[in-house]
Amino acid sequence: MASFDEMREAGDIETIWQNGEFVDWDEATTHVLTHGLHYGTGVFEGARAYDTENGTAVFRWEEHLDRFYASGKPYEMEVPFSRDELTEATLELLRRQDLQSAYIRPIAFFGYNSLGVSPEGCPTDVAIAAWPWGAYLGEDALKNGIDVMVSSWRKHSSSQIPTNAKTTGLYVNSLLAGEEARRNGYAEAIVLNKEGQVAEGPGENIFLVRDGEIYTPGLSQSILDGITRDTVITLAREEGYTVHDQATISRGELHTADELFFTGSAAEVTPIRQVDNVQIADGNRGPITEDLQSAFFDLVERKTDAHDDWFTYI
């Protein structure tokens, strides 16, 4: 992905919606003593808009909003804008920047007022940005897959921190796992939960294929309930596959899988070809992965009429 400065120079990004107003990209700032900056007290989403045969559309925006508002609940954070206001702000943001396809980042965080651990008295600031973003793990990865490692860092338990809230501060766990993988020559990491079972990737859910059936860790395994995860489960069942969506997967099962792949709003559907230098099957994208990848991209590009209610059009 190009840097934001490069995108600015190219004229691809111009404005951000912040607390009810559209502001110049360079003026979307916050105070250095903002509560969320010091304590990670923010929630966010990552959604995509696709250039479809029916025009630009945000994929599963309503579900992203559901999770956005729900993520704030454990922190008693109330987003001071309605769903309609956030939706119109997002669509207008895409229009103003003439973005046919984009990655969309809504964020809410406790703002500037005081700096005790308690956010009492701090406002909830909200912003939405959108920018062009291709394949998160690279265009080649979508076809040929990626090499990953099992991280030495474990995913925290839901009894410690809410795992189903998309909280800004929690992504230091993802950062540690992902950077460890990249330092060791891998594209991404797989994170185990505290019991040593497979949880997810730093920013992705994981799926395993064995004997023609599909397995993915359940919510009890300390995963984020991914929206792309739900999409792929739905598409797989519609294609006639058996999907075990509350599976417990051991580390050893990764190496003996017929196929593995990641899903996520950023990663979309990305095959995994090696884990810890152990080749998965023949090292190529598997047939079920390819089938589901095709179904996913046919859907989001609106080459099929299915699930039109999953799209919010400009």
Side-chain angles (χ1 to χ4, degrees):
M1 184 183 80
S3 71
F4 288 129
D5 284 343
E6 290 169 332
M7 287 188 230
R8 283 286 280 157
E9 188 172 339
D12 293 332
I13 51 177
E14 299 175 355
T15 186
I16 286 176
W17 183 89
Q18 186 176 30
N19 290 328
E21 298 179 350
F22 289 95
V23 299
D24 184 85
W25 185 279
D26 295 331
E27 295 176 4
T29 59
T30 189
H31 199 281
V32 296
L33 295 182
T34 292
H35 194 279
L37 177 63
H38 290 255
Y39 299 114
T41 48
V43 299
F44 70 100
E45 278 299 316
R48 277 192 185 264
Y50 288 93
D51 185 8
T52 81
E53 295 188 358
N54 301 328
T56 300
V58 184
F59 183 55
R60 302 201 70 173
W61 179 245
E62 293 300 324
E63 289 82 357
H64 280 288
L65 282 181
D66 288 343
R67 191 171 63 184
F68 186 58
Y69 285 99
S71 290
K73 288 185 177 180
Y75 311 106
E76 298 184 27
M77 177 187 293
E78 294 191 11
V79 177
F81 296 94
S82 70
R83 297 174 69 99
D84 287 346
E85 288 173 312
L86 295 186
T87 298
E88 181 50 39
T90 300
L91 298 181
E92 180 62 19
L93 189 64
L94 296 172
R95 293 186 201 106
R96 289 188 181 210
Q97 299 185 111
D98 195 27
L99 291 170
Q100 279 74 50
S101 62
Y103 186 78
I104 303 164
R105 171 55 56 87
I107 184 169
F109 54 93
F110 287 125
Y112 170 77
N113 181 63
S114 61
L115 211 56
V117 173
S118 170
E120 184 177 0
C122 294
T124 298
D125 290 333
V126 184
I128 306 171
W131 62 89
W133 199 359
Y136 175 60
L137 295 168
E139 294 292 341
D140 181 70
L142 292 174
K143 179 180 179 182
N144 296 317
I146 58 172
D147 299 339
V148 306
M149 67 170 284
V150 175
S151 177
S152 64
W153 296 97
R154 296 289 180 95
K155 180 70 184 284
H156 50 269
S157 166
S158 59
S159 64
Q160 298 167 312
I161 306 173
T163 54
N164 209 30
K166 200 168 174 67
T167 310
T168 57
L170 304 192
Y171 276 75
V172 295
N173 183 245
S174 299
L175 180 150
L176 289 166
E179 291 306 298
E180 177 187 39
R182 284 179 277 279
R183 282 196 305 271
N184 285 281
Y186 298 92
E188 191 59 295
I190 293 172
V191 183
L192 307 180
N193 61 24
K194 68 182 183 65
E195 289 81 19
Q197 308 296 343
V198 174
E200 58 190 0
E204 309 91 1
N205 293 114
I206 189 168
F207 286 75
L208 177 150
V209 179
R210 183 173 58 237
D211 297 330
E213 298 190 358
I214 301 169
Y215 300 79
T216 190
L219 301 187
S220 63
Q221 303 304 310
S222 298
I223 70 164
L224 182 72
D225 189 9
I227 291 166
T228 309
R229 172 185 182 271
D230 178 73
T231 300
V232 168
I233 289 169
T234 301
L235 294 177
R237 287 176 172 154
E238 290 174 351
E239 294 280 323
Y241 295 109
T242 298
V243 182
H244 306 272
D245 62 359
Q246 298 297 318
T248 299
I249 300 172
S250 69
R251 177 175 182 168
E253 289 178 272
L254 297 172
H255 298 151
T256 59
D258 296 331
E259 303 177 38
L260 292 171
F261 60 90
F262 278 139
T263 65
S265 294
E268 297 170 310
V269 181
T270 300
I272 297 170
R273 66 188 177 199
Q274 285 191 2
V275 178
D276 298 330
N277 289 325
V278 176
Q279 181 176 288
I280 306 305
D282 64 2
N284 296 311
R285 175 177 57 183
I288 293 177
T289 302
E290 185 174 3
D291 187 25
L292 294 176
Q293 219 181 31
S294 295
F296 177 80
F297 284 111
D298 283 350
L299 174 71
V300 298
E301 293 166 7
R302 303 312 290 133
K303 295 177 180 176
T304 169
D305 293 331
H307 301 292
D308 198 57
D309 57 327
W310 282 355
F311 293 85
T312 302
Y313 292 91
I314 290 183

